[in-house]
Amino acid sequence: MKKDITFIIQGPVYPEITNKTIFSVRKFFPDAKIIYSTCNPEYTDILENYGELIISDDPGSFTYADRPGEKENNINRQIVSTLAGLKACKTKYAMKLRSDFILTGNDFLQFWDDFSRFDSKYKIFEHKLLACTYFARNPSSDMPFPFHPSDLAFFGYTEDLINLFDIALMTKDQAYWNLKDRHQYQYVPEQYIFINCLRNNGFKVNCNFYNDCTPENIEQTERFFASNFIFLTFDQFNLQPSKTTFSIKVHPNAFKSCYTHIEWQNLYKKYVDNSYIVPQKDLERLKIEKMYHNYRKYRFLSNLCALPFRNKSQRREIRNRVLEFFLNK
């Protein structure tokens, strides 16, 4: 299998990180192929030891809200660059990997043939995709986003990944769907990808906006997740993020609403294989809750420190710096 994998490294080049991403793939998969796919040619001249470079026309981005300092919504860049890389792939298997993540091993392959059962009525792909528990949202949590798998990384059959990403680009009307409150988008990027994949495959999805959490949508989400993915933690997926944005220790609030691997196994048991025995102790959930308890103590202080700054991006930066100072000790 290792010789029949192409890594699609996707996203902008980060001068301090991205070559480390490439080198980490070479270390653990020396015979694999690497395609670097991006919509941004900046810094591509510094890349080393990759196989093929694909630079697509930039479809542009949106903002998440019409406020100064708001983050960019790069959904169309992700779709274009990922799909371009996948369509150039000639191997049976592919892994979609962000350009700011480091690979720490190849042990994730041991999960490939685990949890092989599925419900045929909810089956999309020829084989389940390996995906991250972070940030696969539990629609029954305090962030009720249905149809929200993580888009940080995927491993599976190349044709299945093409099926996932071969969708229409998000339109301006969809990005600025609701201008009356601070959440103006119809769907967040992860939802947009998965819901459009489902609809392309003939499934009826009655999810009309990002937190349209009807009982039907919750159950459908759970059934599709159980039959089409295997959710793995960063450690299980051999993924190391380079940004503190993805640190459970610093931002456990962002992880509270995500499935753990054990919680995904509960879905597998409930909807696919009721004979499967799920481990009783969920150490990942216990870790997140413990870190969240520490986080709450410093969140108030970080907000106070950020108050004097009017610009949202400045407030976010100050708040995160204070949190990182205390929580990274």
Side-chain angles (χ1 to χ4, degrees):
M1 178 188 280
K2 290 181 184 179
K3 294 182 179 180
D4 203 18
I5 300 173
T6 298
F7 284 79
I8 312 298
I9 300 177
Q10 171 270 326
V13 175
Y14 298 91
E16 303 296 322
I17 301 167
T18 302
N19 272 321
K20 294 178 182 178
T21 304
I22 297 171
F23 295 153
S24 69
V25 173
R26 292 291 184 211
K27 178 179 179 180
F28 297 106
F29 291 87
D31 298 317
K33 298 173 179 61
I34 297 177
I35 295 175
Y36 195 94
S37 188
T38 184
C39 297
N40 184 353
E42 190 174 18
Y43 302 121
T44 53
D45 58 315
I46 71 170
L47 294 176
E48 302 176 28
N49 207 22
Y50 62 91
E52 181 179 353
L53 174 64
I54 297 176
I55 301 176
S56 301
D57 292 337
D58 187 358
S61 63
F62 306 107
T63 54
Y64 281 104
D66 189 17
R67 296 191 300 267
E70 191 62 38
K71 293 193 298 183
E72 280 189 295
N73 176 350
N74 290 309
I75 175 62
N76 287 342
R77 288 171 175 158
Q78 180 181 185
I79 293 170
V80 167
S81 58
T82 302
L83 189 59
L86 289 167
K87 286 189 172 181
C89 178
K90 296 179 174 60
T91 54
K92 182 177 181 179
Y93 305 94
M95 182 167 183
K96 182 261 191 193
L97 182 64
R98 281 175 55 125
S99 56
D100 56 354
F101 272 64
I102 309 296
L103 204 63
T104 62
N106 51 37
D107 297 332
F108 66 88
L109 293 177
Q110 69 183 315
F111 292 97
W112 177 245
D113 286 321
D114 290 349
F115 310 103
S116 58
R117 295 190 180 183
F118 55 84
D119 182 343
S120 59
K121 291 184 292 186
Y122 291 87
K123 184 175 185 285
I124 310 162
F125 308 120
E126 183 180 347
H127 192 292
K128 289 182 180 179
L129 299 178
L130 303 186
C132 283
T133 58
Y134 320 123
F135 295 95
R137 301 294 179 192
N138 184 338
S140 298
S141 70
D142 57 3
M143 188 177 284
F145 286 15
F147 304 101
H148 189 305
S150 172
D151 64 356
L152 295 180
F154 293 104
F155 175 82
Y157 287 150
T158 301
E159 290 303 315
D160 285 337
L161 288 175
I162 290 175
N163 187 358
L164 179 62
F165 280 95
D166 195 2
I167 59 175
L169 298 184
M170 181 181 285
T171 66
K172 186 176 181 180
D173 286 343
Q174 290 168 320
Y176 303 126
W177 177 74
N178 173 16
L179 299 179
K180 294 181 180 179
D181 63 35
R182 64 191 185 95
H183 298 300
Q184 63 188 20
Y185 40 79
Q186 184 176 14
Y187 305 117
V188 296
E190 297 89 342
Q191 289 175 306
Y192 182 84
I193 292 170
F194 192 47
I195 288 173
N196 278 278
C197 170
L198 289 172
R199 288 172 175 165
N200 282 354
N201 283 273
F203 291 98
K204 186 177 180 180
V205 180
N206 293 317
C207 181
N208 297 312
F209 49 92
Y210 68 96
N211 62 352
D212 187 6
C213 245
T214 63
E216 177 191 12
N217 285 338
I218 292 174
E219 182 176 336
Q220 273 198 323
T221 298
E222 294 176 345
R223 288 183 179 277
F224 280 120
F225 282 180
S227 285
N228 294 283
F229 298 102
I230 300 172
F231 287 161
L232 305 177
T233 66
F234 285 155
D235 288 342
Q236 291 169 327
F237 215 162
N238 302 123
L239 293 174
Q240 178 183 310
S242 61
K243 298 177 181 177
T244 53
T245 308
F246 303 113
S247 168
I248 302 179
K249 185 177 181 181
V250 179
H251 295 289
N253 58 315
F255 293 80
K256 272 177 70 28
S257 61
C258 300
Y259 285 101
T260 66
H261 180 59
I262 298 295
E263 288 164 351
W264 176 84
Q265 287 183 53
N266 282 321
L267 298 184
Y268 181 76
K269 178 181 178 67
K270 180 177 181 180
Y271 294 111
V272 177
D273 182 3
N274 60 15
S275 66
Y276 181 76
I277 300 174
V278 180
Q280 290 188 345
K281 198 165 187 178
D282 191 345
L283 297 178
E284 189 72 7
R285 178 56 61 194
L286 292 173
K287 179 175 74 172
I288 292 170
E289 293 298 335
K290 180 179 179 180
M291 289 181 176
Y292 182 70
H293 178 75
N294 292 332
Y295 164 88
R296 291 185 64 188
K297 292 190 296 184
Y298 296 111
R299 175 74 181 188
F300 179 72
L301 177 61
S302 68
N303 283 333
L304 286 179
C305 294
L307 274 178
F309 298 88
R310 293 187 176 182
N311 184 278
K312 183 179 178 181
S313 61
Q314 288 181 312
R315 289 201 306 273
R316 186 190 305 120
E317 182 180 357
I318 296 300
R319 184 171 61 243
N320 288 344
R321 283 186 180 181
V322 173
L323 282 170
E324 289 168 18
F325 175 77
F326 287 107
L327 295 176
N328 272 328
K329 284 185 176 182

